[in-house]
Amino acid sequence: MRNQTKTRTRTTPTPTNPRARHRRSVRSAAALLAAVGILGALAGCGDDGADGTRTTASKSAPARDTAARTDKKVLWVGDSIAGVEAPPLGAALKASGASFKNDSSDGGGTVVEGDRMSTTLARTTWKQLRADLASFRPDVLAYQITTYDWGTPAQQRASYEKLAGAAKDAGADLVLVSAPPYKIDDFYAGHTDAIKSAPEAARAVAKADHVHFLDASKLWGTDATADRAQRASDGIHSCQQGSAGFAKWFTERLGELYDFTPAAPKRWAAGGWTGDRRYAKLGCG
């Protein structure tokens, strides 16, 4: 994903009264938890695809703290959209007992060896990925389709099959997740066919036993301008609320796949990750 986001300077003064600062923090935390709850309610609306691959779970995981924990190790790969989702996703997984490593990349992250640009970016991704598969030794390799997965449907499928093979060789499952809807500006306008075909290519690869496909449109919808899409002002990334909603949705899906109940959002959603500099660069409140 291009790293061209303009930073919006906040002009709201910081309260000098400690009690005022505390009240503001509590209000922000409450708003974030409420937003996660609303988004989570949308996450249980999916069903399995006609080909038998899992697109979303048929029901939401129960939000309780007396949950079956997991010791899974999750390696997260994608572009800068995945990058802004990573802070709460890591917090949610760690609260559930899992280990998490973020391999997302600003301005890249694709594994698709398609056109000249995507192939160049994929070389960097594959180099880092091979190293971390060997050192981190994940149980789950989770790849969010990037805005750079440019190529023909055959090239996309071959690249996802290559990714599935790399995961299997490393002893990991592969979880492919579709990207959220995002603004198709001039930069993306010439690649709309590839953007549309990538999820279907990924779904086809998910027919293998150790590969799963999750359809994120069950959470975000398909309209980048709709409130449900939770896009930041750039129309592409998500702020803290949207990223936390994704973390809740995605960990619930992993919980159903691997038989654990994720930690309730109240244990992680208002944590220190909310101050990550990624959100400041996006002008998130």
Side-chain angles (χ1 to χ4, degrees), residues 88-168:
L89 180 57
L93 285 169
K94 289 174 184 177
S96 303
S99 299
F100 177 80
K101 184 173 179 59
N102 176 25
D103 258 6
S104 65
S105 173
D106 292 350
T110 184
V111 297
V112 172
E113 296 164 308
D115 69 5
R116 182 177 180 179
M117 183 173 179
S118 68
T119 299
T120 299
L121 295 173
R123 292 194 191 103
T124 301
T125 304
W126 278 106
K127 182 178 180 180
Q128 183 67 47
L129 180 58
R130 290 189 181 99
D132 286 338
L133 284 172
S135 61
F136 185 60
R137 300 181 65 84
D139 301 293
V140 179
L141 170 58
Y143 177 80
Q144 181 172 263
I145 292 171
T146 80
T147 60
Y148 288 122
D149 283 22
W150 301 342
T152 66
Q155 289 170 330
Q156 290 169 332
R157 181 165 181 170
S159 297
Y160 299 146
E161 287 174 342
K162 178 179 177 180
L163 187 62
K168 186 175 183 179

Side-chain angles (χ1 to χ4, degrees), residues 145-226:
I145 292 171
T146 80
T147 60
Y148 288 122
D149 283 22
W150 301 342
T152 66
Q155 289 170 330
Q156 290 169 332
R157 181 165 181 170
S159 297
Y160 299 146
E161 287 174 342
K162 178 179 177 180
L163 187 62
K168 186 175 183 179
D169 290 345
D173 285 353
L174 173 62
V175 175
L176 298 162
V177 58
S178 60
Y182 54 89
K183 179 181 178 181
I184 304 299
D185 58 15
D186 292 342
F187 184 75
Y188 297 118
H191 304 280
T192 54
D193 288 346
I195 290 169
K196 291 178 181 178
S197 63
E200 294 310 310
R203 190 191 298 271
V205 174
K207 292 179 180 179
D209 289 341
H210 69 292
V211 184
H212 307 278
F213 176 75
L214 300 178
D215 182 2
S217 70
K218 303 299 182 182
L219 172 69
W220 303 118
T222 58
D223 181 359
T225 66

